[in-house]
Amino acid sequence: MPLPKVIDYGTPLRESADTVTLTIDGRAVRVPKGTAILAAARSHGIEIPKLCATDMVEAFGSCRLCLVEIEGRRGTPASCTTPAEDGMVVHTQTARLAALRRGVMELYISDHPLDCLTCSANGDCELQDMAGAVGLREVRYGQDGRKHRTEAKDESNPYFTFDSSKCIVCSRCVRACAEVQGTFALTITGRGLESKVSTGSFDFLSSECVSCGACVQACPTATLNEKSVIEHGTPTGATITTCAYCGVGCSFRAETQGGQLVRMVPYKRGQANEGHSCVKGRFAYGYATHPDRITRPMIRARISDPWREVSWDEAFAHAASEFRRIQAQYGREAVGGITSSRCTNEETFLVQKLVRAVFGNNNVDNCARVCHSPTGYGLKQTFGTSAGTQDFKSVAQADVILLIGANPTDAHPVFASRMKRRLREGARLIVADPRRIDLVRSPHIQAAHHLALKPGTNVALINALAHVVVSEGLVREDYVRERCDLASFEAWARFIADPRHAPEASADITGVPAGELRAAARLYATARNAAIYYGLGVTEHSQGSTMVMGMANLAMATGNVGRVGVGVNPLRGQNNVQGACDMGSFPHEFSGYRHVSDDATREVFEQLWGVALAREPGLRIPNMVDEAQSGHFKGLYIQGEDIAQSDPDTQNVIAGLSAMECVVVQDLFLNETAKYAHVFLPGASFLEKDGTFTNAERRISRVRKVIAPLAGLADWEVTLGLAAALGYPMQYAHPSEIMDEIARATPSFAGVSYARLDELGSIQWPCNAAAPTGTPIMHVERFVRGKGRFMLTGYVPTEERTGERFPLLLTTGRILSQYNVGTQTARTPNTRWHDEDLLEIHPFDAEQRGINDGDRVLLRSRAGATSLRAQISERVQPGVVYTTFHHARSGVNVVTTDYSDWATNCPEYKVTAVQVTRTAAPSDWQRENAARADFLRRIERELPEGAG
Amino acid sequence: MKPDKLARMANDIAHNLAALGDAAPAAIAEHLRHFWTPRMRKELLQLIQAGGASLEPTVVEAARAL
């Protein structure tokens, strides 16, 4: 579609129940109280010239271009810094103002190169626009300003350039970095004509800049400009779509020239991100057209054979005949499917439909199994449904934030910026994390408490916090009486009051001093609004589900569920983890979290799909791997997952895959899992298809096709092809029709349709007759299950223990520039920031082992060994080592074990007993894996270009 | 599934539901019915019939309700 003009109101639009009415240029204007005159005028179609003002940051009042005259007031105040008031009479265009503005523009232009025709911002430059708007016809001061032309253009950042000669020192970039992103990487140095933007470092790449793009977005000239725009020119079209990285689910304008994506710009009206972005969503989209993309279907009889390119029809027919052969030979239960949290709701719904309706079993799972399945279990047990309680905006009203096992500045950066803004406003922060994450202390952020617990002791910690609440009389008894199941509360209160849960008793277990923990508990319990945010540091433990229930208990006991500013909020790892779970991609549940044994639910789907459905739960992903090795599970359809890299105990996963007779991988790339596959079906990136994603706040947003699928088919069409080959044609002309089926079958989605999404922008489920525009905050008057249920949460130590052979505990996490197993980001210039996984080790542990910073070390557990370079760091405590899992060559999951959460089998990634020693060589596994990688990925090309 | 893995999974459930006291076996049985495949439940019963020495008593009791 054509590039629509984005309205910039100049200053932020305010929300207030109180309004003021004024007159601007003879027109009556009514706006919320607190709105600046500049925004009041623009929101009624009156444009006042401006340069230093933009609605993404607060007013600054430096450029003197937005001057106005106000009847009864002296002078010409700046409209950006003057609030609209009742009865004001404002004039924005007078001869006096015009002369002043021209004078201001003359000064700006005297210090700005006049190379507009060859400038990369030509046609997209506010300075150029303002020169036209004020009628600039001459520059009386000449062209001899300082201009900074001798200074080298900073091209160090892989995605944008900084050209000091184009800078008008409006400070928009500096303010965006501070106010929007909260990093404070930029400042203005010098005075007068010597003033310039500075990173405080040698260049952008070596500075504190996190490349979120806010400064580029804010820049009114070509000073900060995307390299892709410099290369291609300004975009001519735009499509609103949703990012395919983390669970924040940012909306973007995908701006194009013809069929080429030129840049991704965060969408100001996107309700999840409100115009902000991170380095991944904003810039790291190049993987979509990376040469590694496989765009032709391939098959092979054995994994030792080379791949053979075939037509789509031959691939579908081969996969279907193999699945049918396996079921005939080994039984109906011998095959299954894995859906992807990176694919759309519609695509995951189709794969689970294929498994249930065509395979005839419930062997379908998704990668939430290895991240947030304990969230599903824990929140359903306590609140009644598997969902975060709040929208992201809610954090702006939290007074105390309890952040447990999450590192939002790296893993959910756009939400982290919201959180940091609230912390700068004065909210208090409690961080519970074994590692000193950035939010413990960073510019303008200081956690009130850092509970640096030992890995694996979460439940002991949450029980101790709850013990303080109960034993010190901090329970919100009125809330509990009205909203919760009293019998369960009384049983829980007796349980938690036991002295074994006291902070003093658990300090030896958790390593957290009792006094610090008591103070944190009091802070949380006595806040007007206290909110819990958590991540995989909660769920990926042997007691992940117990911990989720423990947090829910704490929130209910203190009355912190069911209104703005509070709640229990999972920060979901992948873009569509929430959606994949909602869509019934679990072996025990249909869409909407209804158990497969529920006759009424099964009947709904049996009528829709025209087949009888199984009533017994199917296999989870780890069970599939185990059952394959036992000879009972032989065929697997994997859409958009790479379990050979992302799942724990790699050698166990590979043994399972190797024991299967037909593994079908549908993916963008020939990933690690594809090395053990027999059919490869090319996938489509999020840019190549229509659908929806559901983010961590239950927000359903449209994914819209920006470019044509490289392989010819979108992922949902591939599943249709496979289903048809299996003898079960599914009739959908467009993903909107799949959503219509989801809505018909799922009460919490009953009001969702593409038309409604287009109308509202996005929808937070439940969306039905009771909530026609969706539900930003859950459990407001009652919990989904009726009364909130307290659960007993006994602490059970993990069986993964340190000892003489493995004396250190390994925990894992993410880094800002990379995403999961690197499938996407490792194929982008984001590797400039992180091109290998490093092992963080405390100086004490390093010294004991003779390890220096940068040394290659062998990381060994009872599951396996890998090698990587060491980074000596006091972020980790003695006895704990930490690494990321973004690069296939490090193979960190060779080391993690098959221990898992008791309720859901979510792997215990966060606790592995290891030993670290210096080494000079890769591990045996790394050597063998590298040696067989090329062999297992051979492609025998037979088809001519363009076929297939 | 390998018997030791099956036993470990069952025992993990038992350990985490132990706080329920007398109600634990029923809760374990419900959990197994809710999340385990019929084959896994059958293999658990076979493990018990074969002696099941490594299993928690509450798992054995729960299995009677399967």
Side-chain angles (χ1 to χ4, degrees):
Chain A
M1 63 185 293
L3 193 69
K5 176 84 175 164
V6 179
I7 295 176
D8 183 348
Y9 296 92
T11 55
L13 296 174
R14 303 299 185 197
E15 288 180 8
S16 172
D18 298 329
T19 59
V20 295
T21 303
L22 65 161
T23 304
I24 303 178
D25 292 346
R27 288 176 56 186
V29 167
R30 190 171 171 212
V31 291
K33 195 174 180 182
T35 305
I37 293 172
L38 181 63
R42 188 63 189 88
S43 62
H44 288 74
I46 302 166
E47 294 190 49
I48 302 173
K50 63 177 184 61
L51 272 175
C52 75
T54 179
D55 57 13
M56 66 190 286
V57 291
E58 294 296 327
F60 196 50
S62 79
C63 77
R64 314 309 294 170
L65 208 60
C66 71
L67 307 177
V68 293
E69 291 184 56
I70 302 171
E71 290 185 12
R73 297 198 185 185
R74 296 174 59 189
T76 52
S79 62
C80 64
T81 54
T82 308
E85 293 175 15
D86 260 328
M88 264 184 174
V89 179
V90 178
H91 301 281
T92 73
Q93 304 292 342
T94 68
R96 180 189 181 196
L97 292 171
L100 286 170
R101 288 175 186 149
R102 272 196 297 274
V104 169
M105 281 305 296
E106 282 185 81
L107 289 166
Y108 273 118
I109 298 301
S110 72
D111 190 34
H112 191 85
L114 294 180
D115 58 354
C116 293
L117 289 179
T118 55
C119 178
S120 58
N122 187 19
D124 187 21
C125 171
E126 292 183 41
L127 188 68
Q128 194 178 45
D129 293 345
M130 289 305 108
V134 304
L136 185 72
R137 297 293 176 265
E138 61 174 343
V139 178
R140 288 169 291 167
Y141 313 110
Q143 292 296 312
D144 301 324
R146 172 71 175 78
K147 291 193 175 58
H148 308 279
R149 274 178 170 154
T150 55
E151 287 169 31
K153 195 170 170 181
D154 181 351
E155 298 183 296
S156 60
N157 187 290
Y159 298 116
F160 60 84
T161 62
F162 174 70
D163 184 352
S164 191
S165 72
K166 303 282 174 69
C167 182
I168 59 171
V169 202
C170 62
S171 291
R172 278 164 56 160
C173 57
V174 177
R175 289 178 285 141
C177 187
E179 294 176 30
V180 179
Q181 168 55 30
T183 292
F184 298 86
L186 302 178
T187 188
I188 302 289
T189 58
R191 286 170 177 271
L193 289 173
E194 295 301 323
S195 301
K196 62 175 189 176
V197 173
S198 169
T199 62
S201 182
F202 178 68
D203 57 20
F204 264 80
L205 191 66
S206 60
S207 74
E208 296 292 313
C209 168
V210 293
S211 294
C212 67
C215 58
V216 181
Q217 187 74 0
C219 182
T221 69
T223 309
L224 287 154
N225 210 186
E226 295 93 344
K227 286 183 174 175
S228 58
V229 171
I230 294 171
E231 183 182 350
H232 297 289
T234 47
T236 54
T239 304
I240 307 302
T241 192
T242 305
C243 180
Y245 280 115
C246 78
V248 177
C250 297
S251 287
F252 278 89
R253 278 162 53 103
E255 297 189 351
T256 52
Q257 267 183 351
Q260 172 135 30
L261 179 63
V262 175
R263 68 177 169 188
M264 296 283 281
V265 179
Y267 184 44
K268 278 166 60 171
R269 290 172 62 192
Q271 290 134 318
N273 56 320
E274 296 180 332
H276 192 33
S277 59
C278 79
V279 63
K280 296 187 283 284
R282 178 74 152 92
F283 296 117
Y285 52 81
Y287 69 87
T289 50
H290 193 277
D292 285 354
R293 281 285 298 270
I294 303 289
T295 56
R296 289 176 176 170
M298 303 187 294
I299 62 173
R300 59 184 175 185
R302 291 170 297 275
I303 62 170
S304 54
D305 293 342
W307 285 106
R308 184 166 64 85
E309 292 178 344
V310 295
S311 67
W312 279 107
D313 284 345
E314 187 176 347
F316 291 144
H318 179 75
S321 70
E322 279 295 278
F323 283 133
R324 287 307 189 205
R325 176 189 65 78
I326 288 169
Q327 286 193 298
Q329 193 172 341
Y330 300 101
R332 183 192 291 180
E333 309 294 329
V335 299
I338 297 176
T339 72
S340 175
S341 298
R342 294 183 199 176
C343 286
T344 63
N345 285 316
E346 293 75 6
E347 287 157 354
T348 53
F349 184 82
L350 281 195
V351 174
Q352 63 89 35
K353 176 176 176 178
L354 183 147
V355 170
R356 298 190 204 282
V358 186
F359 288 169
N361 62 45
N362 286 315
N363 293 334
V364 62
D365 208 353
N366 78 91
C367 62
R369 175 66 50 212
V370 299
C371 66
H372 266 290
S373 51
T375 290
Y377 181 88
L379 295 185
K380 186 164 187 176
Q381 292 289 321
T382 48
F383 297 163
T385 193
S386 168
T389 58
Q390 312 298 115
D391 58 2
F392 289 147
K393 278 174 77 171
S394 168
V395 76
Q397 294 190 48
D399 299 304
V400 169
I401 297 168
L402 173 53
L403 182 67
I404 310 180
N407 186 8
T409 53
D410 282 52
H412 303 89
V414 171
F415 174 72
S417 291
R418 282 184 189 268
M419 186 182 274
K420 287 194 287 187
R421 190 180 312 152
R422 182 60 182 156
L423 294 171
R424 291 197 302 275
E425 290 169 353
R428 309 289 300 280
L429 175 67
I430 303 164
V431 174
D433 199 298
R435 185 167 166 265
R436 200 185 68 229
I437 60 172
D438 283 349
L439 283 173
V440 172
R441 186 176 168 82
S442 56
H444 298 270
I445 303 291
Q446 170 80 60
H449 302 284
H450 177 204
L451 310 179
L453 74 171
K454 293 176 189 167
T457 64
N458 283 344
V459 172
L461 179 99
I462 204 77
N463 284 348
L465 290 168
H467 177 90
V468 176
V469 169
V470 169
S471 64
E472 295 190 9
L474 301 174
V475 171
R476 273 281 306 276
E477 290 179 4
D478 54 340
Y479 180 93
V480 171
R481 231 182 347 262
E482 186 188 336
R483 301 291 309 276
C484 303
D485 178 87
L486 273 185
S488 73
F489 169 75
E490 285 162 5
W492 173 77
R494 279 194 302 276
F495 166 81
I496 214 75
D498 189 286
R500 74 179 189 275
H501 298 308
E504 291 73 17
S506 61
D508 284 346
I509 299 168
T510 62
V512 177
E516 182 90 20
L517 192 140
R518 281 190 181 275
R522 290 169 193 145
L523 181 63
Y524 174 84
T526 57
R528 185 175 60 101
N529 288 329
I532 295 174
Y533 290 88
Y534 71 95
L536 305 181
V538 159
T539 55
E540 291 177 342
H541 285 275
S542 62
Q543 283 202 290
S545 293
T546 311
M547 180 61 181
V548 173
M549 293 188 289
M551 295 185 304
N553 290 340
L554 185 68
M556 288 190 290
T558 53
N560 279 310
V561 184
R563 64 179 187 278
V564 176
V566 299
V568 180
N569 302 282
L571 295 171
R572 306 275 184 167
Q574 302 210 49
N575 53 319
N576 202 34
V577 173
Q578 180 73 56
C581 299
D582 299 342
M583 292 298 101
S585 295
F586 277 140
H588 66 290
E589 284 175 334
F590 289 111
S591 60
Y593 304 100
R594 294 163 295 168
H595 199 268
V596 291
S597 64
D598 182 70
D599 292 340
T601 303
R602 230 175 33 256
E603 198 173 309
V604 168
F605 287 101
E606 286 175 340
Q607 286 197 356
L608 270 174
W609 299 345
V611 292
L613 298 173
R615 68 181 314 281
E616 290 284 359
L619 293 166
R620 301 161 169 178
I621 294 172
N623 307 150
M624 292 177 190
V625 170
D626 291 337
E627 290 287 51
Q629 293 178 65
S630 300
H632 301 305
F633 190 77
K634 293 287 186 180
L636 183 57
Y637 170 32
I638 305 174
Q639 184 185 65
E641 279 300 308
D642 190 6
I643 60 172
Q645 193 185 348
S646 62
D647 286 28
D649 197 356
T650 304
Q651 293 175 94
N652 185 51
V653 174
I654 289 174
L657 288 169
S658 302
M660 296 182 202
E661 295 180 7
C662 180
V663 175
V664 177
V665 167
Q666 181 177 338
D667 208 284
L668 303 182
F669 305 104
L670 213 47
N671 60 20
E672 294 297 303
T673 305
K675 292 195 295 196
Y676 307 94
H678 307 84
V679 178
F680 186 88
L681 304 173
S685 76
F686 77 112
L687 295 167
E688 299 160 41
K689 56 195 180 186
D690 283 296
T692 56
F693 290 152
T694 306
N695 76 354
E697 48 171 0
R698 295 168 281 105
R699 187 182 299 284
I700 308 158
S701 300
R702 275 299 313 276
V703 177
R704 294 183 177 87
K705 187 159 79 174
V706 178
I707 57 176
L710 267 56
L713 296 180
D715 290 298
W716 62 276
E717 294 172 301
V718 174
T719 305
L720 294 193
L722 182 57
L726 283 157
Y728 187 86
M730 300 181 188
Q731 308 295 339
Y732 305 102
H734 188 268
S736 61
E737 296 175 9
I738 306 170
M739 179 54 81
D740 292 342
E741 183 173 313
I742 295 164
R744 277 199 299 279
T746 316
S748 53
F749 276 65
V752 179
S753 68
Y754 279 29
R756 196 82 173 122
L757 285 165
D758 287 344
E759 183 188 338
L760 297 173
S762 63
I763 298 172
Q764 288 173 273
W765 67 260
C767 176
N768 46 33
T773 58
T775 310
I777 309 290
M778 293 200 78
H779 318 297
V780 172
E781 288 170 1
R782 62 190 292 278
F783 285 93
V784 167
R785 69 178 305 281
K787 298 283 189 184
R789 179 163 62 161
F790 286 82
M791 300 295 289
L792 303 187
T793 53
Y795 168 62
V796 180
T798 172
E799 289 183 38
E800 182 69 3
R801 312 271 167 84
T802 54
E804 200 173 319
R805 284 182 67 207
F806 304 114
L808 302 172
L809 282 179
L810 168 72
T811 186
T812 60
R814 293 184 187 174
I815 201 162
L816 172 67
S817 62
Q818 295 294 322
Y819 180 71
N820 272 23
V821 293
T823 307
Q824 294 143 288
T825 46
R827 291 182 170 91
T828 71
N830 277 27
T831 50
R832 291 281 296 277
W833 289 280
H834 185 88
D835 63 355
E836 62 179 324
D837 295 312
L838 299 172
L839 185 78
E840 286 186 12
I841 184 167
H842 191 272
F844 175 78
D845 295 320
E847 186 180 13
Q848 279 195 325
R849 290 163 176 77
I851 294 168
N852 295 309
D853 196 71
D855 281 353
R856 179 159 289 279
V857 293
L858 189 70
L859 176 68
R860 194 160 43 85
S861 75
R862 64 179 174 82
T866 190
S867 74
L868 64 176
R869 289 197 304 121
Q871 183 176 45
I872 296 177
S873 169
E874 291 187 7
R875 275 177 177 257
V876 289
Q877 46 187 290
V880 177
V881 291
Y882 167 90
T883 189
T884 51
F885 54 97
H886 299 310
H887 296 279
R889 65 179 179 276
S890 355
V892 171
N893 282 322
V894 173
V895 176
T896 53
T897 71
D898 67 346
Y899 284 140
S900 65
D901 173 47
W902 66 274
T904 64
N905 281 149
C906 178
E908 192 180 38
Y909 288 106
K910 301 296 184 184
V911 186
T912 307
V914 294
Q915 178 58 292
V916 178
T917 51
R918 283 185 67 183
T919 186
S923 72
D924 292 345
W925 178 85
Q926 283 173 308
R927 269 198 302 273
E928 288 161 16
N929 190 49
R932 70 177 173 233
D934 289 342
F935 177 73
L936 294 175
R937 284 177 167 146
R938 286 169 300 149
I939 300 174
E940 190 176 83
R941 289 200 162 84
E942 289 177 352
L943 290 180
E945 285 296 320
Chain B
M1 191 172 291
K2 290 175 188 162
D4 58 336
K5 184 78 173 281
L6 205 67
R8 192 172 82 204
M9 286 167 57
N11 285 342
D12 282 349
I13 296 166
H15 296 153
N16 277 276
L17 295 177
L20 295 174
D22 293 345
I28 296 167
E30 187 191 350
H31 190 92
L32 296 176
R33 274 195 301 270
H34 215 71
F35 296 107
W36 282 28
T37 65
R39 184 195 299 277
M40 288 163 67
R41 299 199 301 260
K42 188 176 155 195
E43 287 176 355
L44 179 67
L45 292 173
Q46 288 168 348
L47 194 63
I48 291 168
Q49 281 165 3
S54 61
L55 290 167
E56 292 291 335
T58 48
V59 172
V60 177
E61 195 178 338
R64 292 195 192 107
L66 291 178

